[in-house]
Amino acid sequence: SQTIHQWPATLVQPVGSPLSLECTVEGTSNPNLYWYRQAAGRGLQLLFYSVGIGQISSEVPQNLSASRPQDRQFILSSKKLLLSDSGFYLCAWSPSSVSSYNEQFFGPGTRLTVL
Amino acid sequence: GDSVTQMEGPVTLSEEAFLTINCTYTATGYPSLFWYVQYPGEGLQLLLKATKADDKGSNKGFEATYRKETTSFHLEKGSVQVSDSAVYFCALIYTGRRALTFGSGTRLQVQP
């Protein structure tokens, strides 16, 4: 069966510091991968998605970036964090095959607090 | 653009009460519809789904029917438990698209 991992689970960082969040998927090949952010009391916003190694699409302009160095690894980064980057970051994956729907499966999330 | 609207929360119910959480959507065409649940401090779990009109998704006593005529996908449960306390998200996606469009979520609090 497929599983998705995220780490760290929680993170407290000062403004201006760098960020690296990691997501890995097991039990599947060539998945689509996604980074979402959930701000406090709000819904989810798609930040990035990837359909393959080195292929990243950005949904919103911001100071975050994403990379996919391996097939089942997805990394969210920032060179300098802002207060507004605080939130709950969720990684998700979906099968790569085109079907009648694209069901996405979410990881446990990383809670980031920027002080 | 596409959007999903959910009823404002929190919804507070007593144990064994009937639950309805409304969800309506605005979209061109016929998306697939989902309900996700988020327990405190955790990620999202897929609760149920429906891929075409009149489909009924069901899981763990929850049900939702894809109503094309009213563009709705209301979540229902006949008898809620304290353990159902969570935030529920309605979402849609089109075939070939990459991003789920989520509603803002509805917090459910079930009291013993």
Side-chain angles (χ1 to χ4, degrees):
Chain A
S1 64
Q2 300 86 6
T3 55
I4 178 168
H5 305 280
Q6 287 186 245
W7 64 89
T10 60
L11 190 61
V12 180
Q13 292 284 93
V15 170
S17 63
L19 173 74
S20 180
L21 303 182
E22 189 166 344
C23 170
T24 59
V25 180
E26 297 177 354
T28 187
S29 296
N30 193 32
N32 296 323
L33 296 173
Y34 311 82
W35 279 112
Y36 287 85
R37 177 169 61 198
Q38 183 181 28
R42 301 176 66 180
L44 281 82
Q45 179 186 38
L46 180 67
L47 302 176
F48 301 95
Y49 68 87
S50 172
V51 300
I53 295 174
Q55 301 179 61
I56 309 294
S57 296
S58 174
E59 290 292 300
V60 292
Q62 56 201 309
N63 69 318
L64 299 172
S65 61
S67 62
R68 185 170 176 174
Q70 301 179 43
D71 181 45
R72 289 169 290 177
Q73 184 185 31
F74 204 25
I75 297 173
L76 183 70
S77 304
S78 174
K79 293 182 179 179
K80 289 185 178 182
L81 283 168
L82 306 172
L83 287 175
S84 57
D85 292 325
S86 294
F88 194 46
Y89 289 82
L90 289 158
C91 182
W93 75 274
S94 69
S96 58
S97 60
V98 175
S99 62
S100 59
Y101 59 89
N102 281 324
E103 189 172 316
Q104 295 184 13
F105 303 92
F106 286 79
T110 295
R111 185 162 304 282
L112 171 66
T113 303
V114 182
L115 301 176
Chain B
D2 304 333
S3 65
V4 176
T5 301
Q6 294 181 231
M7 60 191 294
E8 292 281 336
V11 174
T12 303
L13 296 173
S14 298
E15 206 164 23
E16 299 184 1
F18 184 86
L19 168 71
T20 300
I21 299 179
N22 290 338
C23 171
T24 57
Y25 64 91
T26 301
T28 54
Y30 305 103
S32 296
L33 302 174
F34 304 87
W35 276 101
Y36 283 85
V37 58
Q38 185 179 32
Y39 297 102
E42 299 183 10
L44 272 68
Q45 299 177 25
L46 179 65
L47 182 60
L48 53 84
K49 59 183 184 285
T51 59
K52 59 184 187 295
D54 299 325
D55 266 3
K56 177 184 283 188
S58 61
N59 186 26
K60 299 180 181 179
F62 291 89
E63 293 183 341
T65 301
Y66 190 140
R67 300 291 188 194
K68 185 180 67 174
E69 64 277 9
T70 55
T71 61
S72 64
F73 193 53
H74 304 323
L75 182 68
E76 297 181 336
K77 186 175 185 182
S79 177
V80 294
Q81 305 300 312
V82 172
S83 57
D84 293 327
S85 298
V87 180
Y88 293 81
F89 292 93
C90 186
L92 65 82
I93 195 169
Y94 286 95
T95 300
R97 295 276 185 89
R98 301 303 180 183
L100 282 161
T101 298
F102 282 91
S104 57
T106 302
R107 182 175 300 279
L108 170 65
Q109 299 174 338
V110 181
Q111 299 175 337

